[in-house]
């Protein structure tokens, strides 16, 4: 519990513009964030950029931290930054195909499907509170406890919403499948 308290104190100091507090927070959390990001992305340069963007976001938005577990909050920021970076990379790959012999990872396919495919369309059709729970627990890989802290709801509510979200997502995907293939929007193939 002491580390959580220390993290909260550091985040309050960062919110006041204390660069040393940001450096201490970085020293404490950058290692495990780097490892988790590296598991999701095989490009070391992208991982470094995402890590840097994560702490830049912390610098800019430390006031928005609501006192929950700092690690969960940091991972949520990092995971979303990684998704954004992979979207940019996917767009660039459509313009300039990847080098011969390299294949996108399974996670790249999943993340692209969340953004551009039927899964993304189906996610847009479920309620925001259910979508937030799925993104926190599935896309961002947070535990039920971390998702509860991040979203500011009880753990039981996270579990209930996750069950409802999966049911609604299955129904939305079934409806999309019944309506036939979707046309790509915005010129995305």
């Amino acid at each position: 519990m002491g580390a959580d308290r220390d993290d909260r104190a550091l985040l309050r100091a960062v919110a006041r513009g204390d660069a040393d507090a940001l450096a201490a927070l970085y020293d404490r959390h950058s290692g495990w964030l780097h490892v988790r990001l590296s598991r999701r992305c095989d490009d070391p340069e992208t991982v470094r950029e995402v890590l840097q963007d994560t702490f830049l976001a912390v610098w800019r938005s430390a006031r928005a931290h609501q006192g929950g577990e700092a690690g969960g909050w940091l991972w949520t920021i990092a995971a979303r930054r990684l998704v954004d970076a992979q979207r940019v990379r996917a767009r660039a790959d459509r313009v300039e195909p990847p080098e011969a012999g390299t294949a996108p990872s399974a996670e790249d396919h999943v993340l692209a499907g969340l953004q551009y495919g039927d899964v993304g369309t189906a996610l847009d059709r479920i309620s925001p509170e259910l979508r937030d729970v799925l993104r926190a627990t599935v896309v961002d890989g947070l535990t039920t406890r971390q998702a509860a802290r991040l979203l500011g709801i009880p753990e039981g509510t996270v579990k209930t919403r996750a069950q409802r979200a999966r049911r609604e997502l299955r129904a939305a995907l079934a409806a999309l499948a019944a309506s036939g293939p979707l046309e790509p929007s915005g010129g995305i193939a």
Side-chain angles (χ1 to χ4, degrees):
M1 187 69 167
D4 285 343
R5 213 172 290 137
D6 291 344
D7 285 346
R8 284 192 285 263
L10 286 172
L11 283 168
R12 284 191 302 272
V14 170
R16 292 188 305 268
D18 185 340
D20 291 335
L22 181 65
L25 199 64
Y26 180 88
D27 290 344
R28 181 177 294 168
H29 292 283
S30 63
W32 70 264
L33 279 168
H34 189 275
V35 169
R36 283 191 80 176
L37 290 167
S38 296
R39 288 182 188 155
R40 291 182 170 218
C41 179
D42 61 355
D43 179 18
E45 185 62 30
T46 300
V47 170
R48 281 191 294 275
E49 288 175 11
V50 167
L51 195 57
Q52 181 179 1
D53 288 348
T54 298
F55 282 93
L56 180 60
V58 168
W59 178 254
R60 291 179 177 160
S61 64
R63 283 187 178 97
H65 184 256
Q66 298 175 353
E69 183 182 332
W73 185 64
L74 289 168
W75 174 244
T76 300
I77 294 169
R80 289 184 178 156
R81 296 280 190 251
L82 181 60
V83 169
D84 291 343
Q86 289 176 324
R87 271 190 219 132
V88 168
R89 190 168 148 193
R91 285 185 198 124
D93 287 349
R94 280 194 300 278
V95 173
E96 182 179 313
E99 297 174 24
T102 61
S105 69
E107 188 170 42
D108 289 341
H109 284 293
V110 170
L111 291 172
L114 288 175
Q115 178 64 25
Y116 304 116
D118 288 352
V119 174
T121 302
L123 275 171
D124 288 341
R125 293 183 179 184
I126 66 174
S127 66
E129 64 271 2
L130 299 180
R131 184 172 47 245
D132 289 346
V133 166
L134 274 185
R135 285 202 169 122
T137 58
V138 176
V139 177
D140 295 338
L142 299 178
T143 65
T144 301
R145 175 173 289 162
Q146 290 169 329
R149 288 181 180 165
L150 173 72
L151 299 171
I153 58 177
E155 287 181 49
T157 304
V158 170
K159 293 176 183 177
T160 302
R161 286 183 183 176
Q163 289 173 341
R164 281 185 42 219
R166 287 184 180 100
R167 275 196 309 271
E168 288 190 23
L169 187 60
R170 277 193 292 272
L173 284 168
L176 287 171
S179 67
L182 293 177
E183 291 297 317
S185 63
I188 298 171

